[in-house]
Amino acid sequence: MMNELLKMSKGNKKLKNTLIFDLPAGKTCPMANECKSFVVMNANGKTSIKDGENNIFRCFAASQENQYPNVYKARKYNFDLIKNSLISDAFKDNKINTINLINKSIEKHINKNIDKVRIHSSGDFFNGEYLRVWLAVARLNKHLKFYCYSKSLHLFGTNVSIPDNFFLTASMGGKMDRLILARYPQFKRYAIVVNSEDEAIKKGIEHIGRPYEIDKDDSHCFKPDPFALLIHGTQKKGYFKNLK
């Protein structure tokens, strides 16, 4: 199994110097709520999107997987490899196989210009063991900045030690939103999805007394304050019409 490595991609002009690791949208996001959606593939290789019961807007990553089947397959490959590695580690009561798997995959894909690793532009931490693997990988690579958006806030308990080069942004719209206020300032950096700049201004004034700044290049993931993200990706028919 260790001969196989994870698939990773390099960021575009907006995410310069960034290595990106992804898992399947929705299926690895146990605490997703308002954005819960995921892709299923039938026996003929045809994909379609399924929405969660409380879905308000579709996850852009799920829309991506539905539009590009190879993206779906790559993320599923990563998930299968990670799951199998974690199962192997469980029998040994350690996480060494999975740590090595991720670390060697980073070494394969990295180049001299890469100084950041985005964990999950699609997907999330689906359990505590998996989160602790990534924290261990960050400690082994102090020259890199690791960052993520997550709705699995319950996994970041007070007993979880987060290295200085690991940057978490709490993602609003999940089942654990209450922890953002309950554990302030642990989750003082959070992101909220908005439909427009006007909504970012209005909600920001309501929530924090000033407009939310809109992040367009993940730079706010390294700042201490909450911010907004503009909705993107293919939405359900009539979504934007219903906003009017």
Side-chain angles (χ1 to χ4, degrees):
M1 184 174 65
M2 288 307 297
N3 291 328
E4 296 181 88
L5 294 176
L6 300 163
K7 298 179 186 297
M8 298 185 176
S9 59
K10 295 178 177 66
N12 55 22
K13 291 181 180 179
K14 291 183 179 180
L15 301 183
K16 294 179 180 178
N17 308 328
T18 304
L19 193 63
I20 302 169
F21 174 72
D22 288 325
L23 293 176
K27 293 179 180 178
T28 61
C29 307
M31 294 299 119
N33 193 36
E34 295 178 2
C35 64
K36 182 77 170 185
S37 48
F38 55 93
V39 165
V40 294
M41 180 179 285
N42 65 22
N44 297 320
K46 177 71 174 177
T47 60
S48 60
I49 294 184
K50 301 291 184 182
D51 294 319
E53 63 175 325
N54 297 319
N55 177 276
I56 296 176
F57 60 92
R58 277 185 175 161
C59 171
F60 78 93
S63 299
Q64 214 177 33
E65 291 172 22
N66 189 45
Q67 187 174 3
Y68 304 106
N70 285 339
V71 171
Y72 168 81
K73 291 176 183 177
R75 292 172 181 172
K76 182 180 183 303
Y77 166 88
N78 281 346
F79 190 31
D80 290 342
L81 203 54
I82 287 284
K83 284 190 298 181
N84 289 336
S85 182
L86 286 171
I87 290 171
S88 175
D89 283 341
F91 284 107
K92 301 176 183 178
D93 197 27
N94 63 37
K95 298 177 282 293
I96 194 65
N97 280 343
T98 315
I99 292 170
N100 286 341
L101 171 62
I102 296 176
N103 206 45
K104 289 181 182 296
S105 299
I106 290 173
E107 290 175 357
K108 175 189 175 182
H109 293 285
I110 204 168
N111 60 42
K112 64 180 181 180
N113 296 318
I114 298 293
D115 59 11
K116 296 183 290 294
V117 177
R118 176 167 175 176
I119 311 168
H120 311 141
S121 69
S122 171
D124 203 344
F125 301 106
F126 51 86
N127 65 31
E129 289 301 305
Y130 174 59
L131 167 62
R132 285 187 280 276
V133 165
W134 272 108
L135 295 175
V137 170
R139 293 186 188 97
L140 290 172
N141 295 274
K142 297 184 183 299
H143 60 295
L144 296 172
K145 290 182 178 180
F146 292 78
Y147 73 101
C148 60
Y149 297 82
S150 181
K151 290 180 171 67
S152 295
L153 305 181
H154 62 300
L155 300 180
F156 293 85
T158 54
N159 62 332
V160 175
S161 176
I162 299 178
D164 292 339
N165 62 330
F166 188 100
F167 298 82
L168 165 68
T169 297
S171 181
M172 290 281 284
K175 297 176 182 178
M176 292 289 139
D177 281 2
R178 58 182 174 77
L179 295 181
I180 294 175
L181 291 179
R183 294 188 187 172
Y184 186 87
Q186 181 184 9
F187 299 126
K188 64 181 177 181
R189 178 174 52 245
Y190 64 82
I192 182 171
V193 174
V194 296
N195 294 295
S196 65
E197 293 186 11
D198 286 343
E199 187 178 3
I201 294 171
K202 181 181 177 181
K203 284 194 172 181
I205 291 173
E206 289 176 356
H207 296 171
I208 59 175
R210 64 181 186 278
Y212 284 123
E213 292 185 9
I214 295 177
D215 185 283
K216 298 179 180 179
D217 58 4
D218 280 358
S219 58
H220 285 67
C221 293
F222 305 100
K223 299 177 182 180
D225 301 313
F227 58 92
L229 297 168
L230 281 176
I231 194 168
H232 59 294
T234 305
Q235 296 301 317
K236 292 177 283 189
K237 186 176 181 180
Y239 173 82
F240 291 103
K241 183 179 179 180
N242 292 334
L243 294 176
K244 297 178 182 180

